[in-house]
Amino acid sequence: MQSLTHTTFTTSEQHKESTNARLTKDHKDTVKVIQFLFDKKPFQTDDELRSIVTGQAAQSSVNVENAKKIGQKILEEMTDKPVADLTFQKSSQAVTMGTSSALKIGEEVVHVDPQLLFQRLLTVAQDNTRKLEEIFRHELTSISTSLFDQNGLLREANKHTLAQYLWSEDRVPDPPPARVRHIIDGGSLLHRLPWPRGSSYRELADMYVHLVSTKYPDATVVFSFSFQ
């Protein structure tokens, strides 16, 4: 029939989940989940309730893991009661790690931000207001925000940005000091080292050590590893 009508019939992939792009994305997402579970270790034998992101241990008042039982209890108390008589008390609700850091002032429940509280206490603790200029030269934070994010996790290193910053200006004093200590990126230097064809691992290691000891007699070589 196709020859008779001079038409052709073709078919494309019938489901978007079977395309190469989707399969590649699914694989990357799976690797991310596995890496996250490997780093956070949420299935370790620990009786304490912890945040899977920050690793922070919950207070004894936190009972969010029993949210289903708490919800069922609330529904049971609502059974056979008129709507006008229903009251939902806060004490009957599940307590999360976010609501546990709160205190009651009169009839008002105030949530406490430890970071903000630290900043205010640090400022108020200064008896002499003339020192405020000196205080605000430093970060008013319990942790360094340049190294840690808002969840208290160490920020990922951005070597490319750091390298651009270091290369943008001449940071070697003139004349150079009598003794210079070099901090070397071991992985970067390993890629710059010429590898003769057929060399063994031992020969490459000897070449690496010889290069460092010859050109950088007083050096610290740093290697960083990441699981891909």
Side-chain angles (χ1 to χ4, degrees), residues 59-93:
Q59 300 179 6
S60 58
S61 58
V62 175
N63 59 356
V64 68
E65 73 276 14
N66 299 322
K68 183 177 181 180
K69 294 181 180 179
I70 295 173
Q72 290 176 344
K73 183 179 179 181
I74 294 176
L75 292 176
E76 291 174 358
E77 294 176 352
M78 294 171 58
T79 305
D80 298 331
K81 284 187 178 181
V83 177
D85 296 340
L86 293 177
T87 57
F88 300 96
Q89 299 180 357
K90 195 172 184 64
S91 58
S92 302
Q93 300 178 7

Side-chain angles (χ1 to χ4, degrees), residues 130-191:
R130 289 177 297 180
K131 295 182 180 179
L132 288 178
E133 182 178 353
E134 178 66 22
I135 294 174
F136 285 113
R137 291 180 181 177
H138 307 277
E139 290 181 298
L140 299 182
T141 174
S142 55
I143 59 176
S144 176
T145 54
S146 60
L147 298 177
F148 299 88
D149 59 19
Q150 60 183 1
N151 295 320
L153 299 178
L154 189 65
R155 298 183 184 275
E156 295 183 1
N158 193 335
K159 293 184 179 180
H160 178 70
T161 303
L162 178 60
Q164 284 186 334
Y165 175 74
L166 295 177
W167 293 336
S168 61
E169 299 181 19
D170 186 7
R171 303 189 178 279
V172 179
D174 188 20
R179 181 179 179 182
V180 178
R181 172 172 288 274
H182 299 274
I183 308 299
I184 302 175
D185 184 346
S188 176
L189 183 60
L190 187 63
H191 288 285

Side-chain angles (χ1 to χ4, degrees), residues 17-222:
E17 297 292 341
S18 62
T19 61
N20 291 332
R22 181 56 62 92
L23 293 176
T24 302
K25 184 178 184 302
D26 290 345
H27 175 70
K28 291 182 178 179
D29 293 341
T30 303
V31 172
K32 288 181 180 179
V33 173
I34 295 175
Q35 182 63 46
F36 181 86
L37 296 177
F38 179 83
D39 293 337
K40 305 303 179 181
K41 298 180 176 59
F43 305 113
Q44 58 185 348
T45 56
D46 191 349
D47 295 335
E48 291 184 321
L49 182 65
R50 296 180 180 274
S51 169
I52 193 174
V53 177
T54 64
Q56 180 182 1
Q59 300 179 6
S60 58
S61 58
V62 175
N63 59 356
V64 68
E65 73 276 14
N66 299 322
K68 183 177 181 180
K69 294 181 180 179
I70 295 173
Q72 290 176 344
K73 183 179 179 181
I74 294 176
L75 292 176
E76 291 174 358
E77 294 176 352
M78 294 171 58
T79 305
D80 298 331
K81 284 187 178 181
V83 177
D85 296 340
L86 293 177
T87 57
F88 300 96
Q89 299 180 357
K90 195 172 184 64
S91 58
S92 302
Q93 300 178 7
V95 180
T96 65
M97 295 183 66
T99 58
S100 63
S101 58
L103 53 88
K104 189 174 183 180
I105 302 177
E107 298 297 329
E108 181 182 3
V109 177
V110 180
H111 295 279
V112 179
D113 184 352
Q115 182 90 338
L116 182 60
L117 180 62
F118 176 84
Q119 296 173 0
R120 292 179 176 177
L121 290 177
L122 184 63
T123 304
V124 174
Q126 303 299 321
D127 297 332
N128 192 346
T129 56
R130 289 177 297 180
K131 295 182 180 179
L132 288 178
E133 182 178 353
E134 178 66 22
I135 294 174
F136 285 113
R137 291 180 181 177
H138 307 277
E139 290 181 298
L140 299 182
T141 174
S142 55
I143 59 176
S144 176
T145 54
S146 60
L147 298 177
F148 299 88
D149 59 19
Q150 60 183 1
N151 295 320
L153 299 178
L154 189 65
R155 298 183 184 275
E156 295 183 1
N158 193 335
K159 293 184 179 180
H160 178 70
T161 303
L162 178 60
Q164 284 186 334
Y165 175 74
L166 295 177
W167 293 336
S168 61
E169 299 181 19
D170 186 7
R171 303 189 178 279
V172 179
D174 188 20
R179 181 179 179 182
V180 178
R181 172 172 288 274
H182 299 274
I183 308 299
I184 302 175
D185 184 346
S188 176
L189 183 60
L190 187 63
H191 288 285
R192 294 176 181 269
L193 183 70
W195 292 20
R197 184 181 297 274
S199 299
S200 63
Y201 287 112
R202 181 181 181 85
E203 292 172 343
L204 292 175
D206 291 339
M207 292 172 55
Y208 191 96
V209 173
H210 177 73
L211 175 64
V212 173
S213 59
T214 302
K215 291 193 173 184
Y216 313 102
D218 189 6
T220 299
V221 183
V222 180

